[in-house]
Amino acid sequence: MSEYFQKQTSKIQLYRMSVYIKKATSYSRLEHIVFLTDNAKNLPASHFGKKEIDYVKAEFKNKSKIVFINQYNRTVCVVNISGDKKEAHDVVEAYRKAGNDALGRFNKTKAKQVVVVSFIGKPGLSIAFAEGMALGNYQFLKYRKDAAKERNSVRTILIQDESVSRRDAELLQISTNAVYNARNLVNEPQSYLTSEVLAGEFVRLGKEAGFSVTVFDKEKITELRMGGLLAVNKGSIQPPTFTIMEWKSANAKNKKPVVLVGKGVVYDTGGLSLKPTLNSMDYMKSDMAGSAAVGCAMYAVAKAKLPLHVIALVPSTDNRPDGDAYAPGDVITMYDKTTVEVLNTDAEGRMILADALSWAKQYQPQLVMDFATLTGAASAAVGPYGMVCMGKVDKGTVDALKQSGDAVYERLAEFPFWDEYSELIKSDIAELKNVGGSSAGAITAGKFLQHFTDYPWYHFDIAGVGFLHKPDSYRGKNGSGYGVRFIFDYLKKLSQ
Ligand code: BES
Ligand code: ZN
Ligand code: ZN
C-alpha cells in the first residue's frame, strides 16, 4: 500500500509555487517599497523628493489610503489606514486587503521583490499587509500553456518592522504555503484528483512537513465495514480511501489529541439523486475543500512544529450514479452499526463523515472539529462570508474558536443546535434518515453527524466559502483554502 502511494507521489507533483517571505534588517532606495504609516511625518525624507512628500500629504488629506509614486527605477507605495474601523480585527483585515491591492500594482510594474516597512509601531499590521500580498499572489497555472508568461512577477516579500520576529515571518511563510497547497487541491479537477491521488497528495504533504500518513484502501475499508463510505462509493469505478494523518510533538501540551475531520468528496454528481449541471454540479470538484483544509492545516502545524498532538481524518470517494450506485430507499449499516435510511443520495457528505466521526472515538479526543462543504442551506444562509457552525463544546472553546475566526477573518456564524432538530431525521424503518426535509437543512445535517460523536465536537459547514465564484480580495477566486488559516491560528493559540 505505502509503496503504491510513494510511487504515485513522485509522479503527481502539483504545479507548486509560492512567494518567499522574510524578515528584513535593512532597506535601500533601490528597492520597491511599501511604507505603512499613520502619519506622513514619519516617512523617511531620504526616499522622497519634497514634491512627492507634499503629494502624499495631499492624498492623505483627500482620504486616499494607498498612494503610489513611480520613481526612476522603482515603485514606492505609502499606506495610511486610519483607525476608523470598529474592532482591532477589522483593522487587521483592512491591512490584508490593502496588501492585495498594492500587489496588483507591483505585478503590473514587474517588480520581483517588495519590502514592506512599518512605521506604525503596532504589531501585526505589517504581517497582515504582507499576508494580503502573499495570498493575493496565488495563481493556478498548471493547465495553462503559457504559464511562465502569465506568472506574477512578485516572488519575494521582505518585512522590515521591529515588532516582527523571524518566527513571525516564518509562520506567515508556513501558513501561506499551506493555503497555496489547499487552493491547488480544490482547483484540481476530478479528472486528476481521484480519492487515491488526493491521499497521495496528503502523503506528499506529510513527507514535506514531517507528519505521519496512513492510507486505508478499499480492501481495508471493507474489512472495517465503513458502511457509509462504502455506500457512497458503490456508484463509482474509483476506489475510496480513508487517510489518517498524525502529528505528535514530543512535548505536546495536550494529553488527548485534537482530531480534525475533512469531507473528501472529490466529485459530487449527487449520485442517483442527480444534481443539475448549472450552478450546481459544475463546481462539485470542490466538494473536497474540507479535506484540503484539514490536510493543509496539518502541514502547517507540523512545519511549525507546534507542541501538540493533532490527528486528521479524511474519508474520500466520488459520488456517482453508476449501475451499482446506492439508491434512495436503501438502508445502510454504518461503521458504528447505526442503520441509516438513504432518502437522497446527494446527502453523501454526512454518510462518509459519520464513519470518520465514529472512528475518532478510539482516540478519546479533547476536541473534534469537522470541515465540510456539506449543505447548500449553509451557503444560502450566510453566503461567501463565513462558516456556518454548530456543535457541542463548552463556552470557553466556542469563544476561543470565534476569536480565531475573527483574527484570520474566516468568521464563524453559530447556528442553533436544539435537541428538537433531531426529530427531523428520525426514520420509519432505521435509526436515522439522511435528510431532514425542507427546513433547517444545515442544522439537520449537523444533527445527523452529532449522532456519531461522544466527545466535544464542533462542525464547520464551509459550503459557501470553499470555492469562490467571484474574486474576494486576497482570497482570490475559485479554491479559497478556507479553514487552513483558521485551524492553524486556533491550534497555535492552543499550543501556547
Ligand atoms: N456537496 C453538497 C453541498 C454543497 C452545495 C456544497 C453547494 C457546495 C455548494 C452536498 O453533498 C449536497 O448535495 N447537499 C444537499 C443535501 C440535501 C440533499 C439534504 C443539499 O444541500 O442540497
Ligand atoms: Zn451531495
Ligand atoms: Zn457533497
Side-chain angles (χ1 to χ4, degrees), residues 221-274:
I221 293 165
T222 308
E223 191 187 304
L224 290 168
R225 295 171 195 259
M226 291 188 162
L229 179 54
L230 288 166
V232 176
N233 183 250
K234 272 180 85 186
S236 172
I237 55 169
Q238 298 285 342
T241 55
F242 188 89
T243 301
I244 303 172
M245 298 167 249
E246 182 164 17
W247 166 254
K248 190 171 185 179
S249 160
N251 30 16
K253 292 255 162 67
N254 54 332
K255 285 215 180 76
K256 297 162 146 194
V258 172
V259 177
L260 308 169
V261 177
K263 173 176 173 181
V265 172
V266 290
Y267 199 72
D268 183 9
T269 69
L272 286 175
S273 311
L274 197 65

Side-chain angles (χ1 to χ4, degrees), residues 13-14 28 62 118 169 171 194 197 258 362 366 385 389 408 419:
Q13 296 292 330
L14 284 171
S28 80
N62 281 339
S118 175
L171 289 172
T194 61
V197 172
V258 172
Q362 67 190 279
Q366 143 178 341
Y385 301 114
C389 58
V408 302
D419 293 342

Side-chain angles (χ1 to χ4, degrees), residues 263 265 268 287 346 348-349 373:
K263 173 176 173 181
V265 172
D268 183 9
D287 211 16
D346 198 9
E348 85 297 340
T373 46

Side-chain angles (χ1 to χ4, degrees), residues 224-231 330-342 351 354-355 430-431 452:
L224 290 168
R225 295 171 195 259
M226 291 188 162
L229 179 54
L230 288 166
D330 281 358
V331 176
I332 305 300
T333 303
M334 308 292 278
Y335 173 63
D336 80 338
K337 301 285 180 273
T338 296
T339 55
V340 174
E341 184 185 10
V342 174
M351 298 295 289
D355 283 351
E431 261 107 41
F452 300 90

Side-chain angles (χ1 to χ4, degrees), residues 248 252-259 308-311 363-367 454-456 494:
K248 190 171 185 179
K253 292 255 162 67
N254 54 332
K255 285 215 180 76
K256 297 162 146 194
V258 172
V259 177
L308 287 175
H309 184 196
V310 189
I311 293 167
Y363 305 115
Q364 295 171 311
Q366 143 178 341
L367 172 67
D454 69 355
Y455 38 66
L494 196 70

Side-chain angles (χ1 to χ4, degrees), residues 82-110:
S82 47
D84 57 351
K85 298 279 186 318
K86 275 186 216 109
E87 306 223 32
H89 62 256
D90 293 320
V91 177
V92 173
E93 178 68 356
Y95 274 91
R96 287 189 198 101
K97 287 187 171 168
N100 179 69
D101 293 344
L103 175 82
R105 179 76 167 238
F106 286 112
N107 274 323
K108 241 186 218 143
T109 59
K110 300 284 170 222

